[in-house]
Amino acid sequence: MVSKDVAILNSTIDVLSPSIHVQAAATTPWDIVIVGAGPAGTAAASRAATNQLRVLFIDRCPLPRPKVCGCCLSPLALAELADLSKSTTSPFKASTLLLTGLTIVSHGHRASVPYATGGVLSRINLDTGLAKNAIAANAAWLPDTRALSCQVDDDNVTLTVQTSTQSQHTIRTKRLLMAAGLYDAIRIHGNTESHRPTRNRPPNNRIGLGTTLPATSGAIAERHLVMAVGNGGYCGFVRLEDDSIDVAAAVHPSLLQQSATPADALTRLLTEAFQDTECPIDTSLLPHSTLRATPQLTHHTGNVDSQDTRIFRVGDAVGYVEPFTGEGIGWALLSARLATEALIDGKGRLRPSKEASQQYQRTYQHALNQHHRRCRMVSLALRSPFLVTTAVRAACRFPTVAGSIARKITGNS
Ligand SMILES: Cc1cc2nc3c(=O)[nH]c(=O)nc-3n(C[C@H](O)[C@H](O)[C@H](O)COP(=O)(O)OP(=O)(O)OC[C@H]3O[C@@H](n4cnc5c(N)ncnc54)[C@H](O)[C@@H]3O)c2cc1C
């Protein structure tokens, strides 16, 4: 499944080979081990390894791998990528397409507004590029390796991992960074008790669905984002750098329950949004595409483990608000910077864990909580068909004003 998607999207990207064998990883005393090679984990690996620490990052998947994502880079994400290039030993190399316009469609009403804000980059190129960056900075890379659980004692955090051939190993580290996205749920065993991170989730939490369609499957203009909103959720389309079309949706669980398949749910959502107007993609292709789903999207978990201050979380693993405003990658990159700035002092040494955890909690709250609050408001507003339709009608009449309001709503003004 992975290789098929990679072939559709970009046949020139090779699988990123491991830079260490699992047996060697199991006998090395690591300073920092990072679980997850999305934007949060790879950015943290680059920053930490640039400080001459012994850093390992692992992922249960190989890279490149497909990912349910709208692939839009917010101005925050672009700024963090630029900072990463400046601050680490090897610059991040991948050119993004810059967005110029946004079309919103809801219940048959459609508005196109100027939206010269942010860029577009496939997750195959983004995540693989960031991982290459981390390897060049001297972080060790171990793909196809799943974190199962972790044991903490006074000296170390010991991670139990399983390879794709089912062999299990333990890896010792001074600090553990969980960057496993919405999937982070590994059990942490202490001397006397064990726990899983507590995830606070709202009721009726939406679920992500996504796929990549071939270039010829729709009429989506380059550098233009199309968002379709219906009662059961919303779906975004954007053309990627190789011309294929990225499809990413957040759907209400009841829509999935009422539909025979996820493709059927997506088709119903698009039919409701576009009504008699023309849908820009050929929905008959959806049942034949590899549609992927995510766990429930919105949650809050906390950026430092409740029992052990040596275990930090970054990116979606800390908390996420459903993706209408397309900001998760920026948040992931920013949290990776804040976590590594807290973990490592100005001389490139690990800070005492209590001091580091207090700094990370403080800076994270200051930098990110307001973004999460704004996105929660947007996601509530999107649940009102009246509000959405009124906004789209108003945007039709005043596209320039609507463009600047859209930038404010998405935190990009
Ligand atoms: C429908 C949808 C559309 C979106 N659109 C956008 C958008 O346009 N712009 C934007 O900025 N954001 C968007 N997002 C959000 C964005 O995808 C996430 O915020 C971002 O991927 C978070 O990065 P991360 O590194 O925290 O986690 P992830 O990218 O999810 O990476 C986590 C990694 O951890 C690995 N992993 C998980 N469990 C384990 C384990 N036990 N052991 C080892 N490895 C493990 C996974 O394989 C994965 O590679 C969207 C999300 C959805 C669902």
Side-chain angles (χ1 to χ4, degrees):
M1 205 190 279
V2 172
S3 53
K4 183 180 159 221
D5 266 27
V6 173
I8 288 174
L9 193 64
N10 191 336
S11 54
T12 58
I13 295 195
D14 296 327
V15 171
L16 200 57
S17 307
S19 65
I20 190 167
H21 201 275
V22 69
Q23 274 89 4
T27 53
T28 306
W30 298 99
D31 293 308
I32 303 180
V33 168
I34 298 162
V35 176
T42 49
S46 283
R47 289 183 183 277
T50 294
N51 279 287
Q52 313 287 316
L53 295 171
R54 282 163 303 185
V55 178
L56 170 73
F57 69 115
I58 71 168
D59 201 289
R60 60 183 184 164
C61 299
L63 279 177
R65 50 112 178 81
K67 177 86 181 70
V68 177
C69 185
C71 299
C72 291
L73 295 175
S74 64
L76 172 66
L78 293 175
E80 285 298 323
L81 288 174
D83 183 79
L84 194 64
S85 287
K86 262 198 340 248
S87 332
T88 56
T89 38
S90 96
F92 172 73
K93 288 193 205 95
S95 46
T96 54
L97 298 171
L98 292 179
L99 277 171
T100 54
L102 164 70
T103 296
I104 303 191
V105 187
S106 175
H107 300 91
H109 299 281
R110 173 190 295 252
S112 291
V113 299
Y115 192 76
T117 305
V120 179
L121 183 63
S122 69
R123 289 298 297 268
I124 283 181
N125 272 324
L126 176 69
D127 295 23
T128 311
L130 285 168
K132 281 185 180 161
N133 202 32
I135 297 167
N138 231 4
W141 161 232
L142 189 58
D144 295 304
T145 306
R146 178 189 294 264
L148 296 179
S149 65
C150 113
Q151 175 82 44
V152 290
D153 61 34
D154 292 346
D155 297 327
N156 282 303
V157 176
T158 305
L159 193 65
T160 301
V161 299
Q162 180 170 294
T163 64
S164 51
T165 56
Q166 310 297 316
S167 65
Q168 288 194 8
H169 306 263
T170 54
I171 293 176
R172 274 179 309 125
T173 178
K174 292 184 183 142
R175 304 285 184 272
L176 178 66
L177 219 54
M178 288 302 297
L182 300 171
Y183 294 88
D184 167 18
I186 72 164
R187 187 167 277 284
I188 297 163
H189 302 280
N191 288 335
T192 52
E193 55 177 54
S194 75
H195 70 284
R196 275 186 207 279
T198 314
R199 295 220 132 162
N200 295 316
R201 293 188 168 108
N204 294 324
N205 207 343
R206 288 178 166 157
I207 285 164
L209 287 180
T211 190
T212 312
L213 296 176
T216 51
S217 46
I220 307 282
E222 201 183 70
R223 299 166 192 269
H224 196 96
L225 172 64
V226 178
M227 291 297 291
V229 187
N231 293 341
Y234 44 87
C235 180
F237 307 101
V238 77
R239 221 172 252 290
L240 298 173
E241 59 274 15
D242 69 345
D243 255 7
S244 62
I245 299 172
D246 181 82
V247 181
V251 297
H252 196 281
S254 65
L255 178 64
L256 281 170
Q257 279 152 16
Q258 291 155 16
S259 309
T261 61
D264 180 35
L266 205 46
T267 306
R268 289 170 68 164
L269 171 63
L270 296 175
T271 308
E272 190 191 25
F274 286 96
Q275 297 196 352
D276 299 333
T277 64
E278 200 184 335
C279 177
I281 62 149
D282 179 357
T283 50
S284 70
L285 294 174
L286 289 175
H288 310 289
S289 67
T290 313
L291 212 56
R292 292 181 180 77
T294 68
Q296 294 177 31
L297 292 169
T298 301
H299 76 97
H300 176 74
T301 299
N303 58 350
V304 176
D305 189 72
S306 57
Q307 311 283 321
D308 197 307
T309 53
R310 292 169 297 180
I311 303 175
F312 281 18
R313 294 195 166 77
V314 284
D316 279 7
V318 181
Y320 185 60
V321 184
E322 56 174 80
F324 188 80
T325 58
E327 294 172 78
I329 296 168
W331 297 343
L333 295 169
L334 172 58
S335 67
R337 174 162 65 77
L338 299 177
T340 47
E341 282 170 359
L343 279 171
I344 304 161
D345 70 15
K347 294 188 174 143
R349 294 175 309 212
L350 286 178
R351 274 206 178 84
S353 67
K354 195 151 176 230
E355 186 187 320
S357 68
Q358 284 165 348
Q359 173 172 333
Y360 183 39
Q361 278 168 324
R362 200 176 52 245
T363 53
Y364 186 97
Q365 193 175 0
H366 181 71
L368 278 149
N369 282 8
Q370 52 175 340
H371 292 294
H372 289 179
R373 265 197 301 276
R374 175 175 39 74
C375 285
R376 270 195 291 274
M377 301 293 284
V378 174
S379 77
L380 277 179
L382 283 168
R383 281 167 162 75
S384 159
F386 171 75
L387 270 184
V388 176
T389 312
T390 309
V392 174
R393 280 181 167 158
C396 249
R397 294 191 61 192
F398 309 106
T400 311
V401 179
S404 79
I405 294 173
R407 280 193 295 280
K408 280 208 165 59
I409 289 175
T410 54
N412 294 327
S413 56

